[in-house]
Amino acid sequence: MTDEITCLRVHVHGLVQGVGFRDFLMQSAGHHKLDGWVRNRADGSVEALVSGPTKAVELFVSHATQGPQGAKVSAVDLHNSEPPKDKGFIRRPSI
């Protein structure tokens, strides 16, 4: 099926703050018309919730594993999740 929907919690570890990582993921999500959010965490990681067609979510995860220039991704944890209540992709406050 091409219209299958996937929803994942994506937790990116490494040098991922202060390098434009959230903007990078916002662009990826916008380009692929995905729903969800992204935020920095106090432990230096970046967390995102992403929902949309499976192939588009896979591309988003691929972008998250590489990151923008200057980022050094050491690990990406993926967990199935419930879809976000709202449409669109937003930046949430850091926690």
Side-chain angles (χ1 to χ4, degrees):
M1 259 192 219
T2 55
D3 57 355
E4 192 172 318
I5 299 296
T6 296
C7 184
L8 292 174
R9 178 82 51 130
V10 181
H11 200 163
V12 187
H13 304 271
L15 177 60
V16 294
Q17 290 187 10
V19 292
F21 210 98
R22 288 175 298 168
D23 288 338
F24 180 77
L25 292 183
M26 293 277 298
Q27 285 181 340
S28 176
H31 181 74
H32 298 294
K33 298 180 173 49
L34 296 168
D35 298 323
W37 48 262
V38 64
R39 66 183 170 196
N40 282 342
R41 296 186 57 93
D43 65 1
S45 65
V46 170
E47 180 182 32
L49 176 70
V50 61
S51 178
T54 301
K55 291 248 184 271
V57 170
E58 288 171 352
L59 285 168
F60 178 91
V61 170
S62 170
H63 290 147
T65 60
Q66 295 167 21
Q69 191 169 5
K72 288 185 175 41
V73 176
S74 60
V76 178
D77 301 327
L78 302 175
H79 301 282
N80 289 322
S81 186
E82 293 297 312
K85 292 177 180 50
D86 300 322
K87 291 289 182 197
F89 198 88
I90 62 166
R91 181 193 306 242
R92 278 195 170 172
S94 301
I95 62 165

